[in-house]
Amino acid sequence: MIPRLSSQALSPSEYIARHLQDFASSTPASAIVDQHPQWFVWNEGVFAVAGILFVVLACIGARRDKWALFTLTPGVSFGRRLYVWWSCAWRQWLASALLFVVAFSVLRLSLGMIATPLMAFAANRVPHDIAQSSPAVSLAIAGMPFIVPMLAYLLLSLPLVGYMVRRGLAAHAMPAPRRFGFWRATLLGLITYAWTLPASLAIANVGVSSAHPVANALRAILLVAWGMYIVLPRQARSVARLAAPR
C-alpha cells in the first residue's frame, strides 16, 4: 500500500499541476476544442441569457423611471453624449487597469500563502479518488488560488468604478452629489456592470464572417453605442437621483 502524500510534501505548483493533470486526463482535449467555437460564437443560449438579463434590468429600472429609462438631459447632441461617455470610460479603464496591476502583484507575492491552506484543506477533506473522478472538483480545487483573488478584484472594482463614473459626470457639470460615500459608489459600480453585461454577452456571441480586425472593430463600435445610449443614461439618472434633495 502506497502511503498518501501529505499537503506539506507538495509544493503549490506540484499540487496545482497534479489536479490539472487529473482534470485533463478525465476530459479529452478534442471535446473541449470541438465544443468551444460552437459555445462561444454560435450558442443561442447566450443570446437568451443576455435578453433575459436585459428585460429584468429594464423592468427594475422602469418601476422608477417609466418611459425615460434611457433618456439623458433633453437636447444632448451626439458629440456631447460621446464626450461624456468617454470621460467616464477612460477613468474606469485607467482605474481598473491600475487595480489589476496591484492585484496581480499581490497575487504573485502571496500565491504560496494562499495555496498552502488550500492544499491542507484538499488533503484532509477532499479524497483524491473523488478529485480524480470529477473533473469539475479537480479544476475548482486547482484554480481556487486564482478564483478567490479574482472575486476579490471584482468586489474591489465596484466602488472604484462608481467613483470614476461620478467624477466623469461631474466633470461635465451633470447632476452629482457632493458627498459620494462608499455604498453609493458600490451601487453605481454594480449598476454599470449590470447594464454592461447583456451587451458584452450578446456582442461577443455575434459571429462576424470577416477578418478578425474588422470583426473586433465592429464589436467595439457596438459596445461604444451600447455604452452611450444604454449604460450612460442609467448611470446619469442614478447619480442625479442621488443628488436630488429629499
Side-chain angles (χ1 to χ4, degrees), residues 6 43 48 56 132 147 157 164 183 209 213 233:
S6 63
N43 192 335
V56 171
Q132 188 174 10
I147 295 174
S157 66
M164 295 301 103
W183 294 113
S209 57

Side-chain angles (χ1 to χ4, degrees), residues 88-113:
C88 297
W90 75 261
R91 287 178 169 86
Q92 296 177 56
W93 296 338
L94 179 60
S96 298
L98 293 176
L99 178 61
F100 178 81
V101 171
V102 173
F104 182 76
S105 301
V106 173
L107 177 62
R108 288 195 60 184
L109 295 175
S110 61
L111 183 59
M113 293 183 292

